[in-house]
Amino acid sequence: MTDRRLTLMAVHAHPDDEATGTGGVLARYAAEGIRTVLVTCTDGRCGDGPGGVKPGDPGHDPATVAAMRRQELEASRDVLKISDLEMLDYADSGMMGWPSNDTPGSFWQTSVEEGAARLAELMRHYRPDVVVTYDENGFYGHPDHIQAHRITMAALEMTALTPKVYWTTMPRSAMQRFGEILREFDEDMPEPDPAEAAAMAEIGLPDDEITTWVDTTAFSGQKFDALAAHASQGENIFFLKMGKERFGELMGMETFVRVKDSTGAAVPENDLFAGLR
């Protein structure tokens, strides 16, 4: 052990991903004096525009959306007390199958080697003790999430660093409960078709395959406020409808799979920094 400040690096695809998947751990570890570094890979230009206008619809201006989402990201950073924000500023690729997947300069069209080289430089600068990103399917198949996973794992191979490495996930038990609560707050929501339901059932992992359960209940208010900073994005409105108390009940535990470790800390564990302090 040294006197060097412990550092967490979270590599995310879009503005608002930091709040959804890791808002609790970012807030918790910042409060514990750990340096928190957020790397956001894209500019979010394929998100909703002002007034909820969707990509491809009249009035959706990607440059305006990107600027708006950058401001929202800065506000979320302030809420979560993130120490350092790094933007790779690739163009948002949109959902899988969208024409924007093929746009030159989009993250999905960027070579893994190029993105990884830039990220490796940031890793050498910050020397993270813990790195968090998505699994190889980007949790739910979004191209930018998949690409964030690829460049993170490649960047680690380019450096001599040996951080603990985690992929975000959700326990299947929580995914089922999430679906029930979603319908509770939106009574008009149609039942998913069988194929969609089957795909949803494959998201996340069986509870016994999750290595790391971090209780962030005490920081769920900050996580809620960070999502509120991204309120322009329609997918966040559901969470905000819950109110802070119910949100904390549902979103107070953040879960991960540990995929690289040199500490020998036993699993299951309740701390990303187990074995490091």
Side-chain angles (χ1 to χ4, degrees):
M1 299 297 291
T2 70
D3 292 332
R4 188 182 66 83
R5 189 179 179 189
L6 288 170
T7 298
L8 165 66
M9 175 179 282
V11 182
H12 280 293
H14 312 99
D16 83 356
D17 289 331
E18 81 290 340
T20 308
T22 55
V25 292
L26 286 166
R28 170 180 163 166
Y29 290 123
E32 294 178 6
I34 288 170
R35 186 177 198 177
T36 51
V37 180
L38 171 62
V39 181
T40 302
C41 297
T42 79
D43 59 9
R45 65 177 52 215
C46 290
D48 293 351
V53 62
K54 301 295 182 182
D57 287 349
H60 186 281
D61 178 51
T64 298
V65 174
M68 175 185 69
R69 298 195 71 184
R70 174 60 186 260
Q71 291 179 343
E72 293 177 335
L73 181 59
E74 292 285 359
S76 174
R77 173 197 180 176
D78 290 344
V79 169
L80 298 174
K81 310 300 183 188
I82 293 168
S83 309
D84 300 271
L85 172 62
E86 297 285 352
M87 300 285 292
L88 298 187
D89 267 335
Y90 291 110
D92 187 345
S93 310
M95 299 295 286
M96 190 67 79
W98 286 13
S100 48
N101 294 174
D102 300 323
T103 301
S106 70
F107 194 32
W108 190 236
Q109 289 298 313
T110 299
S111 73
V112 171
E113 292 75 14
E114 177 195 321
R118 293 181 62 195
L119 183 56
E121 283 302 306
L122 293 176
M123 288 180 175
R124 294 185 189 103
H125 174 72
Y126 289 107
R127 304 188 64 81
D129 302 279
V130 171
V131 173
V132 175
T133 192
Y134 316 100
D135 63 20
E136 62 270 20
N137 190 47
F139 184 61
Y140 69 99
H142 193 296
D144 288 332
H145 290 228
I146 294 169
Q147 192 76 328
H149 162 85
R150 290 174 177 171
I151 73 163
T152 300
M153 303 312 291
L156 287 163
E157 293 297 321
M158 292 178 178
T159 73
L161 303 173
T162 57
K164 297 177 79 177
V165 179
Y166 294 88
W167 298 342
T168 57
T169 191
M170 284 279 284
R172 295 262 169 84
S173 60
M175 289 298 295
Q176 181 178 355
R177 183 167 167 238
F178 181 80
E180 294 167 356
I181 293 173
L182 193 65
R183 282 185 285 276
E184 174 187 332
F185 279 86
D186 188 354
E187 296 177 355
D188 297 327
M189 175 175 290
E191 290 289 332
D193 65 50
E196 184 180 335
M200 285 294 293
E202 293 300 314
I203 292 178
L205 288 173
D207 293 31
D208 60 1
E209 293 182 21
I210 292 173
T211 63
T212 311
W213 303 70
V214 184
D215 185 352
T216 61
T217 305
F219 302 93
S220 60
Q222 281 175 262
K223 182 171 179 172
F224 182 94
D225 289 342
L227 276 169
H230 295 286
S232 71
Q233 302 309 299
E235 63 267 23
N236 295 328
I237 302 303
F238 159 70
F239 294 108
L240 303 179
K241 284 182 179 177
M242 291 183 186
K244 284 189 177 180
E245 182 175 352
R246 192 68 187 276
F247 179 85
E249 293 172 3
L250 181 66
M251 305 292 285
M253 183 73 71
E254 292 185 348
T255 50
F256 306 85
V257 174
R258 192 175 83 189
V259 294
K260 289 183 180 290
D261 173 63
S262 60
T263 69
V267 293
E269 60 188 358
N270 60 11
D271 180 8
L272 297 178
F273 289 85
L276 293 169
R277 54 180 178 174

